[in-house]
């Protein structure tokens, strides 16, 4: 059964950079997307097709995929970046794997 | 601009069924490469994929839940409807409807790019 694994939490100081990993177990990694969910809010797309940013998303968010691991890097960490982050990867149209989510804390 | 809004019951009883409606605006359900997806989130837990209906009206449901889920649409009223049958406690949570960007050669989900605010469904007898 394929699954995506993320660290439960990552923290960093304002202005610093953090990286969130997303590892795939089983199957091929493709078309990774990343979602930000602030407390009590709906998720928001921040990365699609592995490393593309939608319009309006800060350049401070960058992503890459290598082998079975995808990574999201947030540079110049700001208080507003404090949120849960989810990676996702599709299996055709019938299934979209979500990672378990990573809570980012700005110290 | 693209907008989606979920509506439906806030409390359902075990073994019963419930229906959620997603009212969309700012796009057409028939547009090539577009779908409307459903994602849910139990309290304090991660996002869970339920399924989507694509621009041609085909439903694509999570393999782990497809025997209890149905997704339909009414293009004239700009509505997408999710039905969940034989409800149990694990069906509780926030249900989101989402605008989906779909690649067509092959058909694969590219991203969930616009999210509704979500609607909370509780399960209790």
């Amino acid at each position: 059964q394929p699954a995506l694994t993320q660290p439960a939490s990552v923290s960093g100081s304002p202005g610093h950079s953090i990286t969130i990993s997303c590892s795939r177990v089983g199957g091929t990694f493709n078309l990774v997307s990343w979602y930000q969910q602030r407390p009590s809010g709906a998720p928001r797309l921040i990365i699609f097709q592995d490393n593309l940013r939608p319009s309006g998303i800060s350049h401070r968010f960058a992503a890459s995929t290598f082998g079975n691991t995808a990574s999201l890097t947030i540079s110049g960490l700001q208080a507003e970046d404090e949120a849960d982050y989810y990676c996702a990867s599709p299996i055709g149209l019938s299934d979209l794997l979500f990672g378990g989510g990573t809570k980012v804390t700005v110290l | 601009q693209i907008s989606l809004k979920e509506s439906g019951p806030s409390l359902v009883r075990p073994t019963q069924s419930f229906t959620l409606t997603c009212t969309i605006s700012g796009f057409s359900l028939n547009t090539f490469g577009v779908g409307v997806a459903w994602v849910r989130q139990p309290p304090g837990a991660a996002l869970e994929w339920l399924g989507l209906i694509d621009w041609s009206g085909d439903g694509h449901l999570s393999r782990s839940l497809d025997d209890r889920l149905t997704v339909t649409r009414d293009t004239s009223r700009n509505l997408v409807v999710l039905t969940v049958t034989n409800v149990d406690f694990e069906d509780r949570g926030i249900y989101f409807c989402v605008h989906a960007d779909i690649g067509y050669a092959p058909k694969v989900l590219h991203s969930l790019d616009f999210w509704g605010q979500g609607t909370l469904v509780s399960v209790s007898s």
Side-chain angles (χ1 to χ4, degrees), chain A residues 31 49 93, chain B residues 32-34 55 100-111:
Chain A
L31 295 174
Q49 293 185 45
L93 282 185
Chain B
F32 190 76
V34 163
W55 68 90
D101 175 42
I102 299 170
Y104 48 88
K107 267 189 178 181
V108 65
L109 182 63
H110 280 176
S111 64

Side-chain angles (χ1 to χ4, degrees), chain B residues 63-119:
Chain B
R63 293 187 186 97
S64 62
L65 293 166
D66 67 356
D67 57 338
R68 297 198 298 121
L69 301 181
T70 306
V71 179
T72 59
R73 68 181 188 172
D74 184 334
T75 55
S76 64
R77 299 170 63 200
N78 288 326
L79 301 176
V80 174
V81 175
L82 171 73
T83 300
V84 182
T85 61
N86 194 21
V87 167
D88 68 18
F89 188 65
E90 294 186 351
D91 292 317
R92 76 200 191 286
I94 299 174
Y95 284 71
F96 298 98
C97 69
V98 197
H99 177 280
D101 175 42
I102 299 170
Y104 48 88
K107 267 189 178 181
V108 65
L109 182 63
H110 280 176
S111 64
L112 302 174
D113 48 7
F114 296 92
W115 293 67
Q117 64 188 23
T119 187

Side-chain angles (χ1 to χ4, degrees), chain A residues 27-103:
Chain A
T28 307
F29 226 163
N30 65 309
L31 295 174
V32 179
S33 51
W34 290 88
Y35 302 87
Q36 176 195 62
Q37 187 178 29
R38 293 188 173 121
S40 300
R44 177 175 72 145
L45 176 70
I46 57 173
I47 295 288
F48 66 103
Q49 293 185 45
D50 295 337
N51 56 15
L52 302 179
R53 278 184 306 275
S55 172
I57 298 301
S58 170
H59 287 73
R60 298 186 299 105
F61 293 94
S64 61
T65 301
F66 184 76
N68 281 347
T69 300
S71 300
L72 173 72
T73 297
I74 309 174
S75 57
L77 204 59
Q78 299 178 2
E80 67 189 38
D81 299 330
E82 198 158 277
D84 293 327
Y85 292 81
Y86 294 90
C87 60
S89 180
I91 305 175
L93 282 185
S94 295
D95 274 297
L96 178 69
L97 296 177
F98 282 107
T102 297
K103 183 178 182 60

